[in-house]
Amino acid sequence: MAPPRKALIAITSAHAPLYPDGKETGLFITEALHPFNVFKKAGFEVDLVSETGTYQPDWLSQQKDWLPDEDRAVWEDHSSEFRSKLDKLLKPSDIKADNYGLFFASAGHASLIDYPDAKGLQSIAAKVYTDGGIVSAVYGVPSITPSNDGDTILITSHSCHGGAIFPGIIDPSTGKSVISGRKVTGFTTRGEEEEGVLDTIKSWKRPTIEASAADSGATYVSPAGPWDAFTITDGPIVTGANPASAHVTAEAAVKAFDAL
């Protein structure tokens, strides 16, 4: 029997200074909203959950360049399905994992902080996996580039490191991560260095996506360039390389689900 056509999008509960003047990372709004839209269009019921039932929006994700008018209208409308579900965010104890056939880890840089220890979310994802569903995540990072006049300009891309959850999603039949022995992609360590955030990640005492994939026994496959759209499907595991890959990764997750 096919898994339920119902998707669960995990979001980060964490927040921490990342941007100039101590402005904080958190949930990068479109990293949850865009997959939400893809899954709804594909006929899924969609719920949102975080480890603590709380979230804080990423500062950059609320700025004009990163929240287009169409997305902002949804975000600011508390009666929209997406925003109302954020306003009444679920926590793992509210979730019956059997009801879901697709688990998608959205992000924001803060997910590097809480996803590795998010036992509730990891347990749900593991149940979806063992029940024959799809487990997916997408990765990325914002660029912070100083200008010539000493001010700071924020450029390039959304922040998303959803794959930080994978090492803790355990296949009970092997006792190893569900990505052990599989091919995955994710944001490159080179990209972290180029964008000047590697030291911040180290200060959080968290590994890069490449390192965590290797530690979990996965084969990491790099995109041609850090910002090139790139997604990999290996069985029920679907991963994307960066924010440019977010939409196509969600679509790939739907395609993998429909092939079950």
Side-chain angles (χ1 to χ4, degrees), residues 7-9 31 56 60 77 94 100 107 110 114 122 135 144 155 170 178 193 223 230 247 251:
L8 185 64
I9 298 178
E31 290 302 327
Q56 177 173 302
L60 182 62
D77 180 3
D94 299 321
Y100 299 90
D114 70 326
Q122 292 166 0
V135 179
I144 305 174
I155 61 170
I170 304 302
V178 295
E193 293 171 341
F230 186 61
H247 191 92
E251 290 181 332

Side-chain angles (χ1 to χ4, degrees), residues 149-198:
D149 61 5
D151 293 331
T152 299
I153 303 171
L154 302 174
I155 61 170
T156 333
S157 138
H158 305 35
S159 168
C160 45
H161 279 75
I165 201 168
F166 276 127
I169 304 175
I170 304 302
D171 181 347
S173 68
T174 65
K176 299 178 180 179
S177 167
V178 295
I179 62 172
S180 178
R182 296 189 182 276
K183 292 181 180 179
V184 299
T185 190
F187 197 74
T188 64
T189 302
R190 176 184 134 207
E192 308 281 20
E193 293 171 341
E194 287 180 1
E195 302 313 322
V197 298
L198 189 56

Side-chain angles (χ1 to χ4, degrees), residues 39-61:
F39 298 143
K40 290 294 294 185
K41 185 178 180 180
F44 283 77
E45 293 182 54
V46 187
D47 286 326
L48 304 177
V49 63
S50 76
E51 185 69 9
T52 64
T54 64
Y55 80 100
Q56 177 173 302
D58 181 284
W59 171 80
L60 182 62
S61 78

